[in-house]
Amino acid sequence: LESISVEMKYRLLDRGKAPFGLTFVIEPHLARVEEVSGEIVQKQAVEFKLAADQELLKDRLWAAFNALYEPERVQSQSDEIEKESTLGFSGALTAQVAKDFFLGGEARYLRKYEGTGLENFVGDALFVGPTLFAKLSKQTWLAAAWGVQVAGRSVETPELALDLEHFTRHQAKLKFGVNF
């Protein structure tokens, strides 16, 4: 178990009544493992996301754009405290391929900064990969995404083609949800 989080959403614009959907998401989380190094830590973070989506083809194809900001505080076992933040943007296309089953692709661009207020740029990364969403029942669902870092750079090692100091080579997310 790497981390635990809670995702809370507030719909600002309903896609059925407005030209596009717009949702504000806040996701606080606690982690005990640093995702890049694997070091045991105490990490507190909160992700703020603004998510927009548009139905391109009725009941068949959707587009989404997200903007995110995530400040975090990480305390190592030696009690060293680091404060950093991530700014990111993503775009995705998703198609319904069967009843309650959707496949798509996503591109994510992330920028890492020292300090929680985006003070000092240290690196960036571009991830691309497939997405999946399955509605399991009226109230339950499963979502998965996998992204591979295809470009990036670190300020410390600008000669390398990827930023593996601040980001992983692969990002994978598996979510099981219950709506109530």
Side-chain angles (χ1 to χ4, degrees), residues 10 60 92 107 110 126 135 158:
Y10 181 76
R60 300 302 297 161
L110 301 173
L126 175 65
K135 188 173 180 183

Side-chain angles (χ1 to χ4, degrees), residues 48-92:
F48 300 96
K49 186 180 340 180
L50 197 55
D53 66 283
Q54 172 69 46
E55 187 175 37
L56 301 176
L57 296 173
K58 179 95 171 118
D59 298 327
R60 300 302 297 161
L61 184 66
W62 293 263
F65 176 79
N66 297 329
L68 73 88
Y69 166 66
E70 181 181 32
E72 58 188 54
R73 178 187 180 276
V74 180
Q75 183 173 353
S76 68
Q77 289 182 321
S78 64
D79 288 331
E80 182 182 335
I81 295 174
E82 289 185 20
K83 294 180 180 178
E84 54 189 37
S85 51
T86 304
L87 181 67
F89 303 94
S90 67

Side-chain angles (χ1 to χ4, degrees), residues 25 33 56-57 88 101 109 131-132 135 140 144 162-163 165:
V25 182
V33 178
L56 301 176
L57 296 173
F101 189 78
Y109 174 70
T131 62
L132 171 142
K135 188 173 180 183
T140 60
L162 301 176
D163 181 356
E165 292 183 43

Side-chain angles (χ1 to χ4, degrees), residues 34 41-45 69-76 79-86 111-122 166:
E34 205 286 319
V41 296
Q42 292 179 20
K43 178 178 173 179
Q44 300 90 32
Y69 166 66
E70 181 181 32
E72 58 188 54
R73 178 187 180 276
V74 180
Q75 183 173 353
S76 68
D79 288 331
E80 182 182 335
I81 295 174
E82 289 185 20
K83 294 180 180 178
E84 54 189 37
S85 51
T86 304
R111 294 177 61 88
K112 184 68 81 172
Y113 294 86
E114 289 177 350
T116 56
L118 307 173
E119 287 95 355
N120 187 24
F121 173 75
V122 295
H166 305 101

Side-chain angles (χ1 to χ4, degrees), residues 16-49:
K17 299 174 184 169
F20 59 92
L22 188 62
T23 303
F24 176 71
V25 182
I26 184 168
E27 184 177 349
H29 55 274
L30 301 172
R32 63 178 196 87
V33 178
E34 205 286 319
E35 64 222 18
V36 177
S37 69
E39 178 185 0
I40 301 299
V41 296
Q42 292 179 20
K43 178 178 173 179
Q44 300 90 32
V46 60
E47 181 178 292
F48 300 96
K49 186 180 340 180

